[in-house]
Each structure stands twice: as C-alpha cells, then as structure tokens.
C-alpha cells in the first residue's frame, strides 16, 4: 500500500508559528512519526509540501498513474479558497483524508468553509499532529 501525504502553504513553518494553534512539533518530526507508523504496518508513505497551489495540483495529478492508494492532505489556507485542488482530487479519483491540526471551526468564520470536506473519505481537525496518524491508520484499514 502507498500513501501520499500532502501539506499546503505555511505548514513548513510548523513548530515556529502560532504554537497555540499548531503546537510545537515541526513538519520533519510529523513526517518521521508517520514514516515510523507506516513502516510498522508495512506501508509505503511519501511526503510533499509546497506553498504554491499549482505545485500541489501537479503532485495530485501525478496520482493518475495509479501508484497511490490514499492521499492525506492538509491544504492549509487553500482549504478555503482552492477549487483547483478540489478539481484535481476529483480528477484522480484516489480516496483522500482532509487533515487540519487546529480546529478550523473554532477559529475565524472564513475558516469554517472547506472546498474538500464533502468529497473527502474522512475529515480530521483539531487533534493536533495526531490527526495525520489517525488518517494513516484509517487508510491502512480501509484500503490495504
């Protein structure tokens, strides 16, 4: 089984910004924890982060080759703005999980709308970096 984890804008700054919302764990540690978890379940996992919408769309479109069984995506601010990422996810037809470290519904009103939740296999928000782990485990259970 192969899982692709995609992180959007500003997630490269985890551990350095707004710790009250995002905690103090950096993205490298989040990815290491996920790699360890996936390894325990004999699952391949890869990671991609970009601050650029078109690079996220390109990475999702690469999944058309059929190599990826599930996507875990934290679209960051693109959650609330990107029809292009939504269309890419629909086009590749790979099950995906939407993950948010903070509780987007407990924050500013504009963060309450997601362009992805209605088409996602699952949505996890407000559980910190553990949300990624729950998504990996659910994907393994459902799609392995």
């Amino acid at each position: 089984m192969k899982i692709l984890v995609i992180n959007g804008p500003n997630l490269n700054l985890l551990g350095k910004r707004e710790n009250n919302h995002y905690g103090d764990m950096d993205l490298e540690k989040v990815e290491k924890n996920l790699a360890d978890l996936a390894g325990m379940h004999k699952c391949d996992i890869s990671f991609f982060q970009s601050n650029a919408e078109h690079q996220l769309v390109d990475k999702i479109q690469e999944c058309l080759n059929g190599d990826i069984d599930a996507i875990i995506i934290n679209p960051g601010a693109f959650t609330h703005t990107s029809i292009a990422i939504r269309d890419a996810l629909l086009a590749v037809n790979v099950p995906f999980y939407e993950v948010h470290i903070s509780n987007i519904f407990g924050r500013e009103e504009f963060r309450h709308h997601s362009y992805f939740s209605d088409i996602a296999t699952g949505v996890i928000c407000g559980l910190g970096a553990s949300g990624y782990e729950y998504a990996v485990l659910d994907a393994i259970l459902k799609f392995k």
Side-chain angles (χ1 to χ4, degrees):
M1 172 169 199
K2 292 184 179 182
I3 296 174
L4 171 62
V5 179
I6 298 174
N7 281 289
N10 297 311
L11 287 156
N12 56 307
L13 298 178
L14 282 179
K16 298 178 183 93
R17 66 179 277 248
E18 298 175 279
N19 291 10
N20 57 320
H21 290 298
Y22 304 112
D24 58 2
M25 188 181 306
D26 64 22
L27 186 58
E28 184 177 306
K29 177 67 173 161
V30 171
E31 290 176 350
K32 183 192 179 318
N33 290 348
L34 294 175
D36 290 347
L37 179 62
M40 288 176 12
H41 292 276
K42 296 179 178 31
C43 173
D44 290 333
I45 193 164
S46 59
F47 305 97
F48 182 77
Q49 187 279 326
S50 178
N51 295 317
E53 183 180 35
H54 72 281
Q55 290 179 347
L56 298 171
V57 169
D58 289 345
K59 190 64 174 177
I60 293 165
Q61 287 180 0
E62 288 176 15
C63 296
L64 278 171
N65 66 18
D67 286 348
I68 299 297
D69 298 298
I71 297 169
I72 296 168
I73 184 168
N74 182 339
F78 289 134
T79 302
H80 323 291
T81 64
S82 184
I83 296 168
I85 294 173
R86 176 190 173 92
D87 288 349
L89 288 164
L90 285 168
V92 300
N93 198 33
V94 172
F96 77 93
Y97 295 80
E98 177 184 354
V99 173
H100 299 283
I101 294 169
S102 69
N103 178 359
I104 61 174
F105 301 103
R107 298 186 60 192
E108 304 93 340
E109 179 85 21
F110 69 86
R111 294 186 196 275
H112 297 184
H113 178 264
S114 166
Y115 278 101
F116 310 107
S117 297
D118 65 314
I119 59 171
T121 298
V123 179
I124 302 168
C125 75
L127 300 180
S130 298
Y132 291 97
E133 295 174 15
Y134 299 132
V136 166
L137 290 172
D138 195 71
I140 291 168
L141 289 172
K142 283 188 176 148
F143 305 112
K144 191 168 185 180

